[in-house]
Amino acid sequence: MSSVLTNAPAWTIPGFLEARDNNHLFISAADATALTYQYGTPLFVFSESRIRANIARLQAAAKKVDRPIKFCYASKANSNMAVLGVVRDAGIDIEVNSGGELFKALRAGFRPDQIIFNGTSKTDDELDEAVRAGIYSINVDSIYEIELVEDAMRRARSELNTGLPPARIALRLVPEIGTRSHLGLQTALLTSKFGISSSEVLDAFRRGLQNPDLIHVCGIHIHVGSQTPDVEPFAEAFKSMWNHLMTIHRETGLTLEHINLGGGIPVNYLRDRSQADQLPEHERDMLGAELEPSDVLTEALRVAREAARDAQAEHLLDQVTILLEPGRSVIADAGVVLTKVQNIKRRPETNDIWLLTDAGYNLLLSMNNYKWYYHLISASRACTSADAQYKVAGPLCDSGDVYFDIERHGRLPDYRLLPRDVKPGEVLALLNSGAYSLAQMFPYNGRPLPAAVMVRDGGRADLIRKRDTYEDLLMNDVW
Ligand SMILES: *Cc1c(COP(=O)(O)O)cnc(C)c1O
C-alpha cells in the first residue's frame, strides 16, 4: 500500500493545480485524467485563468512602479490561436519573430500598433508585411537592416501608392551582459548572434536618421535572455539603454520614445523540490528562480534614475515608455502535458523499472536540447506519495528520448519519483510545460501531433488544437 500525503502536494497552486478527493490531478477544476478519456494522450492542457493570473501579476507590477508599461507577449513561447486570444483579451500587446507570427497576431485580432517584430534574419517579404501593416516597432538587428526596412518602405509606397507614415524601428542592442541561464538562452553576450554592439549604437542611430520620411527610430531594445534568475542583468541592461538614450539626446537633440527591456522573467520549475537536490547547483538556482516582475522594474528604474540625476536628465526618464516582452512567465506554468504509460519493463541486471510514455522530446524539445526539468507526477494518484524510482522515457526511436541526462552530465535526475506500482495505462503529468513546447513540436517518427485543450472558468474544457490524423502526416508530401 502506498501512503497518502496528508498535506497538499508541494506543486499545488490553489485554484489552478490541485489534487482533489478522488486522488486525481485537477487543472482549474477539470479532472486531468477524465480529459484524457475524452481527448486521448498525449494531451496539452492549458488554464485560461492561470494565463490571466500571470498577466495580472505583470500588470500589478506596472502599477506598483506607477509607470505606463507596455507588455508585449513573446508569441514564440506559444502562438496557439486560442492562447493568443486569451492574451489579447487580458489586455496586453504582442511580440512576433517572423512573418508567420505576425500573420497569426493580426488574425488573432491584435491591432498593428500592438505589435513589435524581432529577428536576426527577416526576409524582404516579412519586412514588406510589417511595413504595410504599420506595426508599433520593427526591431532591427544590424545597421545593414535599416536599409532593408527603407527599401521595404519604398516598395510599399510605390506599390500601394498611399501615404503610409514612416516605418517605426527600434535598435536591438547586444550589451555584453551575462546571466545565470543556459548559454543557448543568453542573448546579450557579444558572442551571441543578436543585436548591434554598444560601440555602433550612435552610428546606427545616425544612419536611422538619414531618411526620416521613410523610417522613424522610436526605441532601443535589449533582451538579456530567457529564464534570467536575477534582477541585476535586467537593471544593467536598462541602465545601458538609458545611457545610450541620453547620449543620443545629447548628440542629436532627439529623445527615443521607448526602452524595451525584453523578456526573460523566470518561472519556478521547482515548486516541488523533491528532486531538486539531484540537479547541479547552478541549474537548481536557475530553474527554481523566484523573481517578482515588480522587483525587476523597480531596480531598473532605480539605476536609471540615478544615472539620470547625475546627468540632470530626469525629465527625459518620465517621457519614456517601457516595454517588456514576457513569454515564458505568461504561459509556462499555465500548461501541462498529460502522457500515458504505454509499456513497462524491469531490467534484471540493474533492477531498474522503465516506464515508456507517449510523450517524447518531439513535444518537449527543451527536455532534450537544454535538459530542461519538467516535474513529473501521477495524474490519477496525485496525493499518493511519490517514493518509488523509475527510469522514464518517451516513445521515439532515439536513445536520447529519455527523461534523464543520457550524456551522464547529471543535468537531470537519473530517476523520476512516482507512486509505487505504476502500471501501463496510468496517466502522468509533466508540469510547467506550456512554454516552448506546443510551439516547437514536430511529427518525428510519424507521430501525429497531439491535441490541446483550454480549461475555462468553471472547469469546462474547449478543444484549442485538433489532434493530427495520419492524413495530416501526408499533407505536404508530393508524390
Ligand atoms: C524569446 C524572446 C523573448 C521571450 O523570452 P521569455 O524568456 O520567454 O520571456 C522576449 N524577447 C525576445 C527578443 C526574445 O527573443
Side-chain angles (χ1 to χ4, degrees):
M1 264 302 286
S2 293
S3 56
V4 171
L5 297 171
T6 43
N7 296 326
W11 44 258
T12 302
I13 301 175
F16 160 51
L17 208 60
E18 299 170 307
R20 294 232 179 138
D21 294 345
N22 64 356
N23 208 357
H24 284 189
L25 168 69
F26 277 72
I27 300 165
S28 292
D31 182 330
T33 311
L35 289 175
T36 67
Y37 300 152
Q38 192 177 351
Y39 296 99
T41 58
L43 179 69
F44 278 91
V45 183
F46 294 92
S47 157
E48 172 170 356
S49 61
R50 186 63 184 174
I51 298 173
R52 287 181 184 276
N54 287 339
I55 291 172
R57 176 178 177 231
L58 294 167
Q59 290 164 329
K63 241 196 202 115
K64 208 162 161 193
V65 296
D66 198 21
R67 294 279 315 215
I69 312 266
K70 188 174 165 77
F71 292 104
C72 298
Y73 170 65
S75 63
K76 77 171 190 276
N78 186 326
S79 63
N80 172 275
M81 290 300 281
V83 169
L84 297 189
V86 171
V87 169
R88 182 182 53 82
D89 200 54
I92 64 171
D93 301 337
I94 191 163
E95 183 263 354
V96 301
N97 242 282
S98 67
E101 284 181 356
L102 174 60
F103 165 79
K104 292 178 87 171
L106 289 167
R107 188 61 75 85
F110 287 92
R111 296 185 316 269
D113 67 314
Q114 292 183 288
I115 304 175
I116 53 182
F117 190 167
N118 282 300
T120 57
S121 322
K122 303 178 199 78
T123 64
D124 285 349
D125 283 348
E126 288 174 323
L127 290 173
D128 284 346
E129 288 150 19
V131 156
R132 286 161 204 225
I135 65 173
Y136 182 78
S137 173
I138 300 171
N139 293 353
V140 297
D141 203 73
S142 68
I143 296 181
Y144 171 69
E145 202 186 348
I146 295 173
E147 188 178 320
L148 299 184
V149 180
E150 289 173 346
D151 290 345
M153 199 62 204
R154 285 192 191 95
R155 280 193 297 275
R157 290 247 176 86
S158 72
E159 284 167 32
L160 303 179
N161 210 8
T162 60
L164 269 184
R168 295 166 56 85
I169 70 165
L171 308 177
R172 164 87 181 246
L173 308 189
V174 60
E176 188 64 17
I177 294 171
T179 77
R180 291 192 297 143
S181 189
H182 286 179
L183 277 178
L185 297 183
Q186 293 197 34
T187 46
L189 298 174
L190 290 178
T191 48
S192 102
K193 69 172 181 170
F194 295 98
I196 299 168
S197 65
S198 292
S199 61
E200 297 175 298
V201 176
L202 208 52
D203 285 346
F205 190 73
R206 291 209 169 98
R207 175 65 189 80
L209 290 181
Q210 268 172 24
N211 295 304
D213 58 316
L214 294 175
I215 56 170
H216 171 60
V217 191
C218 59
I220 191 165
H221 175 221
I222 289 177
H223 169 61
V224 290
S226 204
Q227 189 71 9
T228 299
D230 310 295
V231 85
E232 289 79 11
F234 290 104
E236 222 183 306
F238 195 82
K239 185 176 170 183
S240 163
M241 287 189 282
W242 172 245
N243 284 333
H244 286 306
L245 181 144
M246 288 195 298
T247 307
I248 288 166
H249 179 79
R250 201 173 50 239
E251 301 279 321
T252 68
L254 290 167
T255 312
L256 297 175
E257 292 166 28
H258 76 256
I259 289 181
N260 181 345
L261 194 48
I265 293 167
V267 168
N268 184 0
Y269 289 80
L270 299 176
R271 186 174 277 104
D272 184 320
R273 299 188 69 87
S274 56
Q275 301 211 264
D277 61 1
Q278 294 164 46
L279 303 171
E281 193 183 343
H282 63 278
E283 296 281 296
R284 187 159 65 231
D285 292 349
M286 192 255 311
L287 289 164
E290 288 274 15
L291 191 57
E292 278 304 319
S294 59
D295 292 342
V296 170
L297 288 170
T298 306
E299 184 60 13
L301 281 164
R302 191 188 65 76
V303 297
R305 187 143 285 136
E306 235 173 59
R309 200 173 303 129
D310 294 345
Q312 296 184 336
E314 277 174 290
H315 60 289
L316 288 183
L317 191 55
D318 294 327
Q319 296 170 23
V320 171
T321 301
I322 298 170
L323 268 59
L324 282 177
E325 303 169 325
R328 193 184 290 281
S329 53
V330 170
I331 195 67
D333 69 10
V336 170
V337 169
L338 299 177
T339 177
K340 196 187 280 177
V341 178
Q342 300 289 346
N343 193 2
I344 189 165
K345 62 179 89 169
R346 185 188 293 272
R347 289 224 190 275
E349 294 81 358
T350 58
N351 233 358
D352 287 339
I353 303 172
W354 283 78
L355 303 177
L356 292 312
T357 73
D358 56 14
Y361 70 66
N362 59 319
L363 308 186
L364 290 162
L365 185 59
S366 304
M367 185 145 72
N368 194 268
N369 65 357
Y370 296 129
K371 304 295 170 222
W372 204 268
Y373 179 78
Y374 298 100
H375 190 70
L376 182 69
I377 64 170
S378 168
S380 57
R381 292 190 291 161
C383 313
T384 307
S385 51
D387 49 13
Q389 296 195 330
Y390 301 89
K391 285 277 187 195
V392 186
L396 302 176
C397 188
D398 176 341
S399 276
D401 185 31
V402 291
Y403 293 24
F404 54 91
D405 185 353
I406 197 158
E407 312 288 354
R408 297 184 195 226
H409 295 142
R411 291 173 295 173
L412 285 172
D414 287 331
Y415 298 87
R416 294 304 181 107
L417 293 172
L418 292 165
R420 275 172 223 185
D421 214 15
V422 172
K423 295 203 169 59
E426 185 154 346
V427 177
L428 309 179
L430 287 146
L431 306 183
N432 308 306
S433 49
Y436 305 106
S437 49
L438 190 82
Q440 294 182 338
M441 65 187 180
F442 49 95
Y444 184 44
N445 271 201
R447 301 202 147 263
L449 295 175
V453 298
M454 177 84 74
V455 181
R456 312 291 184 182
D457 270 351
R460 187 189 85 239
D462 289 336
L463 187 68
I464 61 166
R465 186 190 189 282
K466 289 187 292 189
R467 180 177 305 282
D468 282 7
T469 64
Y470 285 158
E471 288 295 325
D472 291 324
L473 297 173
L474 312 178
M475 189 122 72
N476 292 320
D477 287 3
V478 180
W479 76 100

